[in-house]
């Protein structure tokens, strides 16, 4: 008996009904779309855009721009020209090389000069030494004036004044600024008065304006000693320190000016005013020395109570 021939064929895939979730995604029909998100790879840029940001492009364009480069070069040249002009104007009024001379010191000179300022009575040789008509630098001659000790003493005096005012609970930036400006202005006035007197009397001496500032600034050392004496030992210590520092500074000024001002008397020994001029020069020296204790007391008495 012939059995009926049944052909086998692949049955059609069941269609998903609406609302039925798909268990697996059908990937046979088409490739999935590429994700457009670009991933960073060192040295490469998948997206095709420049690796650097817009800031880097701006910097590159700035340096590549010839106008910007020319402007930078022009600005640099203007800055150099301005620096040269400032240095030239400063050199017209202040000799930089001469100013360096007054700061050519070392620690050995500073110690000797401080001892000389506080104990000048035993010092014998007050003459400034020369080498080929040029005075030796302060580090090689303790008698040479310098500006290092006055500068450092001024700063130390301001710090000590601030500490004294703080101990007395009277500190304020305004009071400290007034103290500093007063101490500086008095020195400037003293130097200007001395220059005027030397000019009026036509005194030919080796004193320059830097020398006068140096000798006038040495009073700050005595002021520091006086304030310390007052802070440590009260009013009695203050007046003892004031007396010692004033006498020492007066003796120092007279002996130093004797080699600078009074030594020039022989050059003007002839003439109508030959008798009066030496006496006036002596008065200038004595007046300068006598002014020191007055200004020391004026600038330190309010710091000790």
């Amino acid at each position: 008996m012939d059995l009926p021939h049944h052909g086998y064929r692949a049955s059609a895939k069941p269609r998903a009904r609406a609302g039925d979730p798909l268990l697996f995604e059908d990937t046979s029909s088409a490739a999935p779309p590429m994700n457009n998100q670009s991933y960073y790879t060192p040295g490469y840029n998948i997206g095709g855009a420049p690796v650097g940001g817009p800031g880097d492009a701006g910097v590159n364009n700035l340096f590549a721009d010839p106008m910007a480069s020319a402007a930078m070069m022009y600005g640099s040249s203007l800055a150099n020209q301005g620096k040269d002009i400032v240095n030239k104007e400063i050199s017209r009024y202040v000799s930089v090389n001469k100013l360096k001379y007054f700061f050519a010191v070392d620690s050995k000179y500073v110690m000797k000069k401080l001892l000389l300022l506080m104990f000048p009575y035993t010092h014998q040789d007050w003459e400034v030494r020369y080498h080929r008509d040029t005075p030796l630098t302060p580090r090689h001659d303790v008698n040479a004036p310098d500006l290092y000790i006055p500068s450092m003493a001024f700063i130390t005096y301001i710090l000590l004044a601030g500490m004294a005012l703080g101990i007395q609970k009277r500190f304020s930036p305004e009071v400290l600024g007034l103290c500093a400006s007063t101490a500086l202005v008095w020195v400037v006035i003293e130097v200007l008065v001395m220059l005027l007197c030397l000019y009026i009397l036509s005194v030919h001496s080796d004193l320059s304006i830097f020398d006068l500032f140096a000798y006038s600034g040495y009073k700050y050392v005595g002021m520091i000693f006086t304030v310390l004496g007052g802070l440590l030992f009260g009013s009695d210590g203050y007046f003892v320190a004031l007396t010692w520092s004033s006498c020492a500074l007066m003796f120092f000024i007279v002996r130093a000016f004797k080699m600078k001002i009074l030594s020039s008397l022989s050059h003007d020994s002839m003439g109508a005013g030959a008798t009066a001029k030496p006496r006036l020069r002596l008065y200038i020296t004595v007046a300068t020395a006598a002014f020191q204790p007055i200004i020391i007391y004026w600038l330190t008495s309010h710091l000790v109570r």
Side-chain angles (χ1 to χ4, degrees):
M1 183 175 62
D2 296 334
L3 294 175
H5 178 73
H6 297 279
Y8 292 92
R9 62 178 182 176
S11 59
K13 294 180 180 180
R15 295 179 177 271
R17 291 176 297 176
D20 293 339
L22 294 177
L23 296 179
F24 301 98
E25 184 180 1
D26 187 6
T27 60
S28 61
S29 59
M34 293 292 294
N35 189 7
N36 291 330
Q37 182 179 2
S38 60
Y39 296 91
Y40 173 74
T41 303
Y44 299 91
N45 187 14
I46 297 177
V51 177
D56 295 337
V59 173
N60 294 332
N61 293 334
L62 177 63
F63 284 103
D65 190 0
M67 292 297 296
S69 300
M72 293 176 63
M73 294 178 61
Y74 182 69
S76 178
S77 64
L78 282 180
N80 293 330
Q81 292 178 5
K83 182 179 178 181
D84 295 338
I85 292 174
V86 170
N87 292 333
K88 188 180 296 184
E89 291 298 323
I90 293 177
S91 300
R92 287 179 56 187
Y93 300 100
V94 178
S95 177
V96 178
N97 293 329
K98 193 171 184 179
L99 191 60
K100 289 180 180 179
Y101 164 83
F102 290 91
F103 287 92
V105 301
D106 54 10
S107 57
K108 185 177 179 180
Y109 165 82
V110 172
M111 292 301 298
K112 287 184 176 181
K113 197 56 173 276
L114 291 177
L115 291 175
L116 179 60
L117 290 171
M118 299 308 300
F119 306 96
Y121 310 106
T122 59
H123 191 64
Q124 300 297 328
D125 185 12
W126 292 86
E127 187 175 359
V128 178
R129 296 183 176 88
Y130 285 81
H131 176 69
R132 295 179 180 177
D133 297 333
T134 302
L136 295 178
T137 56
R139 69 164 60 98
H140 297 110
D141 185 11
V142 71
N143 294 322
D146 72 284
L147 289 173
Y148 176 81
I149 291 179
S151 301
M152 294 298 104
F154 175 77
I155 296 174
T156 305
Y157 163 73
I158 299 304
L159 297 177
L160 190 61
M163 186 180 70
L165 293 173
I167 292 174
Q168 301 171 14
K169 301 186 184 303
R170 296 189 295 120
F171 176 81
S172 66
E174 293 79 9
V175 175
L176 188 62
L178 181 62
C179 182
S181 59
T182 303
L184 189 61
V185 166
W186 271 112
V187 170
V188 174
I189 293 175
E190 180 183 354
V191 171
L192 292 178
V193 170
M194 290 183 62
L195 285 175
L196 182 62
C197 293
L198 294 176
Y199 175 76
I200 292 175
L201 298 176
S202 302
V203 176
H204 303 285
S205 66
D206 297 333
L207 286 172
S208 65
I209 187 171
F210 297 119
D211 295 326
L212 295 177
F213 271 109
Y215 288 118
S216 180
Y218 286 141
K219 68 169 60 68
Y220 294 129
V221 177
M223 292 163 59
I224 294 171
F225 180 73
T226 303
V227 175
L228 283 177
L231 292 178
L232 296 177
F233 305 104
S235 60
D236 295 337
Y238 169 78
F239 284 106
V240 170
L242 176 63
T243 303
W244 180 271
S245 60
S246 299
C247 293
L249 187 58
M250 290 173 62
F251 186 86
F252 175 83
I253 291 295
V254 170
R255 294 304 299 267
F257 277 24
K258 181 180 179 181
M259 306 305 300
K260 294 289 187 178
I261 296 180
L262 299 181
S263 62
S264 62
L265 295 178
S266 59
H267 297 286
D268 298 328
S269 58
M270 302 299 294
T275 305
K277 282 187 177 181
R279 187 177 303 172
L280 292 176
R281 293 176 183 180
L282 181 61
Y283 289 163
I284 292 176
T285 303
V286 174
T288 303
F291 180 73
Q292 305 307 314
I294 298 175
I295 192 62
I296 291 177
Y297 176 78
W298 178 263
L299 295 175
T300 57
S301 59
H302 67 284
L303 299 176
V304 180
R305 290 184 178 180

PDB file of all heavy atoms in Angstrom, residues 157-158 172-185 299 302:
ATOM      1  N   TYR A 157      65.708 100.225  63.962  1.00  0.00           N
ATOM      2  CA  TYR A 157      65.032 101.206  64.815  1.00  0.00           C
ATOM      3  C   TYR A 157      63.523 101.170  64.608  1.00  0.00           C
ATOM      4  O   TYR A 157      62.742 101.251  65.578  1.00  0.00           O
ATOM      5  CB  TYR A 157      65.584 102.599  64.525  1.00  0.00           C
ATOM      6  CG  TYR A 157      64.714 103.719  65.034  1.00  0.00           C
ATOM      7  CD1 TYR A 157      64.644 104.006  66.401  1.00  0.00           C
ATOM      8  CD2 TYR A 157      63.955 104.494  64.163  1.00  0.00           C
ATOM      9  CE1 TYR A 157      63.830 105.027  66.878  1.00  0.00           C
ATOM     10  CE2 TYR A 157      63.148 105.519  64.624  1.00  0.00           C
ATOM     11  CZ  TYR A 157      63.084 105.776  65.981  1.00  0.00           C
ATOM     12  OH  TYR A 157      62.278 106.783  66.442  1.00  0.00           O
ATOM     13  N   ILE A 158      63.075 101.032  63.367  1.00  0.00           N
ATOM     14  CA  ILE A 158      61.638 100.972  63.096  1.00  0.00           C
ATOM     15  C   ILE A 158      61.032  99.716  63.719  1.00  0.00           C
ATOM     16  O   ILE A 158      59.950  99.756  64.333  1.00  0.00           O
ATOM     17  CB  ILE A 158      61.374 101.017  61.582  1.00  0.00           C
ATOM     18  CG1 ILE A 158      61.907 102.334  60.991  1.00  0.00           C
ATOM     19  CG2 ILE A 158      59.885 100.886  61.294  1.00  0.00           C
ATOM     20  CD1 ILE A 158      61.359 103.569  61.634  1.00  0.00           C
ATOM     21  N   SER A 172      49.993 101.060  66.187  1.00  0.00           N
ATOM     22  CA  SER A 172      49.093 101.175  65.038  1.00  0.00           C
ATOM     23  C   SER A 172      49.949 101.460  63.817  1.00  0.00           C
ATOM     24  O   SER A 172      51.024 102.066  63.938  1.00  0.00           O
ATOM     25  CB  SER A 172      48.060 102.290  65.248  1.00  0.00           C
ATOM     26  OG  SER A 172      48.684 103.552  65.277  1.00  0.00           O
ATOM     27  N   PRO A 173      49.523 101.032  62.657  1.00  0.00           N
ATOM     28  CA  PRO A 173      50.328 101.297  61.453  1.00  0.00           C
ATOM     29  C   PRO A 173      50.568 102.783  61.210  1.00  0.00           C
ATOM     30  O   PRO A 173      51.628 103.177  60.717  1.00  0.00           O
ATOM     31  CB  PRO A 173      49.489 100.684  60.325  1.00  0.00           C
ATOM     32  CG  PRO A 173      48.646  99.643  61.000  1.00  0.00           C
ATOM     33  CD  PRO A 173      48.353 100.191  62.365  1.00  0.00           C
ATOM     34  N   GLU A 174      49.596 103.618  61.570  1.00  0.00           N
ATOM     35  CA  GLU A 174      49.773 105.058  61.364  1.00  0.00           C
ATOM     36  C   GLU A 174      50.866 105.616  62.262  1.00  0.00           C
ATOM     37  O   GLU A 174      51.707 106.420  61.823  1.00  0.00           O
ATOM     38  CB  GLU A 174      48.454 105.794  61.623  1.00  0.00           C
ATOM     39  CG  GLU A 174      47.355 105.496  60.606  1.00  0.00           C
ATOM     40  CD  GLU A 174      46.672 104.165  60.871  1.00  0.00           C
ATOM     41  OE1 GLU A 174      46.944 103.566  61.950  1.00  0.00           O
ATOM     42  OE2 GLU A 174      45.903 103.713  60.016  1.00  0.00           O
ATOM     43  N   VAL A 175      50.879 105.192  63.530  1.00  0.00           N
ATOM     44  CA  VAL A 175      51.899 105.686  64.451  1.00  0.00           C
ATOM     45  C   VAL A 175      53.288 105.213  64.032  1.00  0.00           C
ATOM     46  O   VAL A 175      54.264 105.975  64.072  1.00  0.00           O
ATOM     47  CB  VAL A 175      51.573 105.235  65.893  1.00  0.00           C
ATOM     48  CG1 VAL A 175      52.686 105.624  66.853  1.00  0.00           C
ATOM     49  CG2 VAL A 175      50.254 105.831  66.346  1.00  0.00           C
ATOM     50  N   LEU A 176      53.386 103.947  63.610  1.00  0.00           N
ATOM     51  CA  LEU A 176      54.685 103.435  63.176  1.00  0.00           C
ATOM     52  C   LEU A 176      55.153 104.130  61.903  1.00  0.00           C
ATOM     53  O   LEU A 176      56.348 104.441  61.751  1.00  0.00           O
ATOM     54  CB  LEU A 176      54.596 101.926  62.957  1.00  0.00           C
ATOM     55  CG  LEU A 176      55.913 101.208  62.673  1.00  0.00           C
ATOM     56  CD1 LEU A 176      56.856 101.350  63.861  1.00  0.00           C
ATOM     57  CD2 LEU A 176      55.679  99.735  62.365  1.00  0.00           C
ATOM     58  N   GLY A 177      54.242 104.392  60.977  1.00  0.00           N
ATOM     59  CA  GLY A 177      54.614 105.125  59.773  1.00  0.00           C
ATOM     60  C   GLY A 177      55.059 106.543  60.065  1.00  0.00           C
ATOM     61  O   GLY A 177      56.011 107.049  59.449  1.00  0.00           O
ATOM     62  N   LEU A 178      54.388 107.192  61.021  1.00  0.00           N
ATOM     63  CA  LEU A 178      54.802 108.537  61.420  1.00  0.00           C
ATOM     64  C   LEU A 178      56.177 108.520  62.069  1.00  0.00           C
ATOM     65  O   LEU A 178      56.998 109.418  61.833  1.00  0.00           O
ATOM     66  CB  LEU A 178      53.760 109.117  62.381  1.00  0.00           C
ATOM     67  CG  LEU A 178      54.018 110.535  62.896  1.00  0.00           C
ATOM     68  CD1 LEU A 178      54.026 111.534  61.737  1.00  0.00           C
ATOM     69  CD2 LEU A 178      52.969 110.918  63.925  1.00  0.00           C
ATOM     70  N   CYS A 179      56.438 107.488  62.857  1.00  0.00           N
ATOM     71  CA  CYS A 179      57.753 107.374  63.503  1.00  0.00           C
ATOM     72  C   CYS A 179      58.860 107.199  62.462  1.00  0.00           C
ATOM     73  O   CYS A 179      59.916 107.832  62.547  1.00  0.00           O
ATOM     74  CB  CYS A 179      57.730 106.198  64.475  1.00  0.00           C
ATOM     75  SG  CYS A 179      59.257 105.955  65.394  1.00  0.00           S
ATOM     76  N   ALA A 180      58.612 106.356  61.460  1.00  0.00           N
ATOM     77  CA  ALA A 180      59.618 106.117  60.422  1.00  0.00           C
ATOM     78  C   ALA A 180      59.844 107.361  59.568  1.00  0.00           C
ATOM     79  O   ALA A 180      60.991 107.744  59.278  1.00  0.00           O
ATOM     80  CB  ALA A 180      59.192 104.942  59.543  1.00  0.00           C
ATOM     81  N   SER A 181      58.765 108.008  59.151  1.00  0.00           N
ATOM     82  CA  SER A 181      58.915 109.194  58.301  1.00  0.00           C
ATOM     83  C   SER A 181      59.586 110.342  59.053  1.00  0.00           C
ATOM     84  O   SER A 181      60.391 111.074  58.479  1.00  0.00           O
ATOM     85  CB  SER A 181      57.537 109.630  57.786  1.00  0.00           C
ATOM     86  OG  SER A 181      56.664 109.928  58.862  1.00  0.00           O
ATOM     87  N   THR A 182      59.281 110.481  60.340  1.00  0.00           N
ATOM     88  CA  THR A 182      59.915 111.545  61.127  1.00  0.00           C
ATOM     89  C   THR A 182      61.418 111.321  61.249  1.00  0.00           C
ATOM     90  O   THR A 182      62.219 112.257  61.100  1.00  0.00           O
ATOM     91  CB  THR A 182      59.277 111.619  62.517  1.00  0.00           C
ATOM     92  OG1 THR A 182      57.865 111.825  62.389  1.00  0.00           O
ATOM     93  CG2 THR A 182      59.878 112.765  63.322  1.00  0.00           C
ATOM     94  N   ALA A 183      61.811 110.073  61.528  1.00  0.00           N
ATOM     95  CA  ALA A 183      63.241 109.770  61.649  1.00  0.00           C
ATOM     96  C   ALA A 183      63.975 110.013  60.337  1.00  0.00           C
ATOM     97  O   ALA A 183      65.122 110.489  60.329  1.00  0.00           O
ATOM     98  CB  ALA A 183      63.428 108.321  62.106  1.00  0.00           C
ATOM     99  N   LEU A 184      63.332 109.708  59.209  1.00  0.00           N
ATOM    100  CA  LEU A 184      63.978 109.901  57.916  1.00  0.00           C
ATOM    101  C   LEU A 184      64.032 111.374  57.529  1.00  0.00           C
ATOM    102  O   LEU A 184      65.045 111.857  56.993  1.00  0.00           O
ATOM    103  CB  LEU A 184      63.231 109.100  56.849  1.00  0.00           C
ATOM    104  CG  LEU A 184      63.868 109.011  55.468  1.00  0.00           C
ATOM    105  CD1 LEU A 184      65.240 108.344  55.550  1.00  0.00           C
ATOM    106  CD2 LEU A 184      62.965 108.246  54.511  1.00  0.00           C
ATOM    107  N   VAL A 185      62.962 112.112  57.800  1.00  0.00           N
ATOM    108  CA  VAL A 185      62.912 113.525  57.417  1.00  0.00           C
ATOM    109  C   VAL A 185      63.940 114.339  58.201  1.00  0.00           C
ATOM    110  O   VAL A 185      64.584 115.254  57.647  1.00  0.00           O
ATOM    111  CB  VAL A 185      61.482 114.071  57.626  1.00  0.00           C
ATOM    112  CG1 VAL A 185      61.469 115.595  57.566  1.00  0.00           C
ATOM    113  CG2 VAL A 185      60.549 113.500  56.570  1.00  0.00           C
ATOM    114  N   LEU A 299      63.533 111.628  69.027  1.00  0.00           N
ATOM    115  CA  LEU A 299      63.001 110.485  68.298  1.00  0.00           C
ATOM    116  C   LEU A 299      62.823 109.232  69.159  1.00  0.00           C
ATOM    117  O   LEU A 299      62.258 108.244  68.669  1.00  0.00           O
ATOM    118  CB  LEU A 299      63.933 110.152  67.121  1.00  0.00           C
ATOM    119  CG  LEU A 299      64.027 111.217  66.023  1.00  0.00           C
ATOM    120  CD1 LEU A 299      65.054 110.818  64.989  1.00  0.00           C
ATOM    121  CD2 LEU A 299      62.665 111.456  65.368  1.00  0.00           C
ATOM    122  N   HIS A 302      59.431 109.256  73.179  1.00  0.00           N
ATOM    123  CA  HIS A 302      58.039 108.817  73.181  1.00  0.00           C
ATOM    124  C   HIS A 302      57.895 107.305  73.138  1.00  0.00           C
ATOM    125  O   HIS A 302      56.780 106.778  73.276  1.00  0.00           O
ATOM    126  CB  HIS A 302      57.309 109.423  71.978  1.00  0.00           C
ATOM    127  CG  HIS A 302      57.799 108.904  70.651  1.00  0.00           C
ATOM    128  ND1 HIS A 302      58.989 109.330  70.089  1.00  0.00           N
ATOM    129  CD2 HIS A 302      57.280 107.989  69.797  1.00  0.00           C
ATOM    130  CE1 HIS A 302      59.172 108.716  68.945  1.00  0.00           C
ATOM    131  NE2 HIS A 302      58.146 107.900  68.742  1.00  0.00           N
TER     132      HIS A 302
END
